[in-house]
């Protein structure tokens, strides 16, 4: 079995995917209430995501995504990107490009939110 490559870069991208008019109209008919009867204080016009691409020293890469809805996660895509770039990245760069290794590295940080960890876990498995 070969040596597991090490992560040398983390690229993060915010992405907004607008809902089609049909979806916006259907949600408007329910008086601003969304799935699971969650009240929305402003129109929900689309989905926000963070896309992560992990690059390894051997040229391999993995891609992951996290759906970010402020009322549910308590954070915006920009906050997730900031937390990864200025926090979690230092625990991942140079680590083996595998889910178990990344999970161990991030578990050392008790305050890492699930959406941030999930985004990077997913990128390591693709």
């Amino acid at each position: 079995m070969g040596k597991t490559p090490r992560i040398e870069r983390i690229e993060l991208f915010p992405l907004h995917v607008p809902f089609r008019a049909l979806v916006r109209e259907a949600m408007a008919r329910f008086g601003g209430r969304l799935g699971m009867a969650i009240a929305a204080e402003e129109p929900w016009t689309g989905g926000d995501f963070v896309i992560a691409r992990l690059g390894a020293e051997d040229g391999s890469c993995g891609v992951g995504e996290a759906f970010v809805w402020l009322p549910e996660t308590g954070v915006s895509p920009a906050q997730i990107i900031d937390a990864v770039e200025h926090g979690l990245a230092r625990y991942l760069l140079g680590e083996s490009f595998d889910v178990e290794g990344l999970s161990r590295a991030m578990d050392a940080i008790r305050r890492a939110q699930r959406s941030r960890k999930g985004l990077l876990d997913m990128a390591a498995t693709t």
Side-chain angles (χ1 to χ4, degrees), residues 20-36:
R20 291 179 175 220
L22 178 67
V23 173
R24 290 192 312 272
E25 292 165 9
M27 290 188 337
R29 283 195 302 265
F30 293 101
R33 299 192 73 77
L34 307 173
M36 300 187 311

Side-chain angles (χ1 to χ4, degrees), residues 9-32:
R9 72 184 176 285
I10 302 170
E11 300 170 282
L12 302 159
F13 311 94
L15 175 66
H16 179 78
V17 179
F19 291 140
R20 291 179 175 220
L22 178 67
V23 173
R24 290 192 312 272
E25 292 165 9
M27 290 188 337
R29 283 195 302 265
F30 293 101

Side-chain angles (χ1 to χ4, degrees), residues 62-101:
V63 177
E65 55 83 19
F67 173 69
V68 184
W69 185 43
L70 186 62
E72 180 181 47
T73 63
V75 294
S76 69
Q79 289 171 309
I80 288 177
I81 290 171
D82 183 65
V84 172
E85 287 179 340
H86 299 102
L88 289 176
R90 68 177 164 214
Y91 295 95
L92 302 177
L93 293 170
E95 290 293 320
S96 292
F97 200 100
D98 69 272
V99 173
E100 291 82 15

Side-chain angles (χ1 to χ4, degrees), residues 15 48-52 63-68 115 118-120 122-123:
L15 175 66
D48 291 307
F49 298 84
V50 175
I51 308 299
V63 177
E65 55 83 19
F67 173 69
V68 184
S115 57
L119 169 69
L120 299 168
M122 189 182 306

